[in-house]
């Protein structure tokens, strides 16, 4: 499995309005690689949801994207509070986001479900008080 | 119908048009951003009353053909600037979300 490209981003946790910079950058880079629009849409939405989660819950984190000929892998890691009940968090409509986030149109409890919906593989490793690492893969 | 064509109709005004020849193939209505990203399809016109800056990223990532702000909702200068930078088409309409959807279902 030969690696074509790696991208690394620091996701700034202090600025909610600029969240999405990494996802938009990835979208542009994948477009340059000639990847199909539907795959790009799935990857960039899944990544944006992850970015938003890191900003809302974890004061930011890091995002790594690897592109090979077989798949695009997104790894999002933060040192936030961790997810207490992953099964519950995966349910559409379940959210622990604060009201100020909801007033911006987020916090509908669709973030993690969307990440799963748009990727072929998703794994969540989370420890309360330590942080969360989410790995997602979209097959090419 | 293209975004340019829609922007010239009564009740619709261009706020930012970067790619006016973009085709509108469907419509999605919603104000919860993750819901929009989960359900809207590429080339939909997205009708919303949400006007904060995050709508630009959502429109870009969802690949919708344009944002339509219903009930003449205004965006601030910062959001307008980012829409221009990210080349996101934005229109506004005096119609409600319901009225705009009914109208679009007849014309697209």
């Amino acid at each position: 499995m030969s690696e074509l490209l790696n991208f690394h981003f620091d996701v700034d946790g202090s600025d909610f309005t600029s969240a999405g910079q990494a996802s938009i950058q990835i979208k542009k880079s994948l477009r340059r690689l000639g990847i199909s629009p539907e795959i790009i849409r799935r990857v960039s939405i899944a990544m944006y949801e992850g970015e938003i989660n890191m900003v809302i819950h974890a004061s930011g984190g890091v995002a790594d994207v690897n592109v090979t000929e077989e798949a695009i892998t997104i790894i999002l890691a933060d040192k936030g509070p961790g997810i207490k009940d992953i099964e519950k968090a995966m349910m559409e409509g379940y959210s622990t986001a604060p009201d100020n986030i909801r007033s911006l149109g987020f916090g509908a409890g669709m973030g993690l479900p969307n990440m799963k919906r748009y990727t072929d593989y998703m794994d969540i490793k989370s420890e309360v008080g330590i942080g969360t690492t989410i790995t997602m893969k979209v097959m090419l | 119908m293209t975004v340019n064509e829609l922007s010239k109709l009564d009740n619709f005004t261009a706020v930012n048009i970067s790619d006016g020849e973009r085709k509108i193939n469907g419509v999605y209505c919603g104000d919860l951003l993750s819901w929009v990203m989960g359900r809207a399809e590429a080339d939909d016109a997205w009708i919303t009353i949400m006007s904060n800056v995050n709508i630009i990223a959502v429109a870009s990532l969802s690949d919708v053909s344009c944002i339509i702000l219903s009930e003449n909702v205004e965006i601030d200068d910062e959001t307008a600037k980012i829409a221009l930078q990210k080349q996101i088409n934005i229109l506004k309409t005096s119609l409600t979300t319901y009225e705009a959807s009914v109208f679009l279902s007849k014309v697209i």
Side-chain angles (χ1 to χ4, degrees):
Chain A
M1 205 164 82
S2 58
E3 288 212 346
L4 292 179
L5 276 172
N6 288 305
F7 301 92
H8 176 83
F9 301 94
D10 291 313
V11 178
D12 180 359
S14 64
D15 187 2
F16 190 74
T17 55
S18 72
Q21 293 305 319
S23 319
I24 289 173
Q25 188 53 50
I26 280 295
K27 187 181 172 184
K28 277 189 201 152
S29 305
L30 294 180
R31 203 182 273 162
R32 261 184 249 125
L33 287 175
I35 289 172
S36 82
E38 191 46 34
I39 296 272
I40 294 175
R41 194 171 116 84
R42 289 168 56 202
V43 167
S44 50
I45 290 177
M47 187 165 166
Y48 182 56
E49 291 284 15
E51 260 191 88
I52 291 289
N53 276 349
M54 289 200 286
V55 176
I56 295 175
H57 299 286
S59 310
V62 292
D64 286 280
V65 179
N66 301 311
V67 183
T68 67
E69 281 171 10
E70 292 83 22
I72 299 168
T73 307
I74 308 155
I75 301 167
L76 306 165
D78 69 59
K79 295 188 169 69
I83 303 168
K84 272 192 201 120
D85 187 337
I86 292 176
E87 209 178 308
K88 229 179 189 176
M90 288 303 299
M91 284 165 50
E92 288 193 0
Y94 178 82
S95 173
T96 58
D99 284 349
N100 64 324
I101 299 297
R102 288 170 199 256
S103 69
L104 291 169
F106 287 106
M110 289 292 286
L112 289 172
N114 271 353
M115 288 156 75
K116 188 160 178 70
R117 174 199 295 263
Y118 283 127
T119 56
D120 295 306
Y121 166 88
M122 177 169 157
D123 174 64
I124 305 176
K125 289 204 168 29
S126 189
E127 213 171 317
V128 172
I130 307 282
T132 300
T133 299
I134 296 185
T135 304
M136 295 178 282
K137 208 177 256 201
V138 173
M139 304 310 291
L140 293 174
Chain B
M1 165 172 271
T2 64
V3 173
N4 267 339
E5 286 165 348
L6 179 61
S7 74
K8 291 185 181 118
L9 298 181
D10 284 351
N11 297 322
F12 289 84
T13 314
V15 176
N16 179 68
I17 295 193
S18 302
D19 181 8
E21 288 313 299
R22 195 92 195 250
K23 277 240 169 3
I24 299 171
N25 286 342
V27 175
Y28 189 83
C29 308
D31 306 317
L32 293 175
L33 303 184
S34 290
W35 210 277
V36 174
M37 285 192 289
R39 301 288 202 272
E41 293 187 14
D43 300 322
D44 277 352
W46 168 31
I47 310 176
T48 185
I49 51 159
M50 197 53 85
S51 61
N52 69 70
V53 68
N54 298 298
I55 62 172
I56 307 298
V58 169
S60 167
L61 298 168
S62 305
D63 238 352
V64 294
S65 48
C66 63
I67 301 171
I68 300 172
L69 300 164
S70 55
E71 306 199 40
N72 274 335
V73 164
E74 300 279 348
I75 51 171
D76 60 26
D77 293 346
E78 179 64 14
T79 305
K81 205 173 93 189
I82 296 175
L84 187 65
Q85 272 171 14
K86 306 285 181 203
Q87 301 195 302
I88 298 300
N89 296 321
I90 305 182
L91 309 179
K92 69 176 180 177
T93 176
S94 53
L95 304 175
T96 65
T97 295
Y98 167 69
E99 290 164 344
S101 327
V102 170
F103 179 78
L104 282 166
S105 80
K106 291 175 189 156
V107 296
I108 61 169

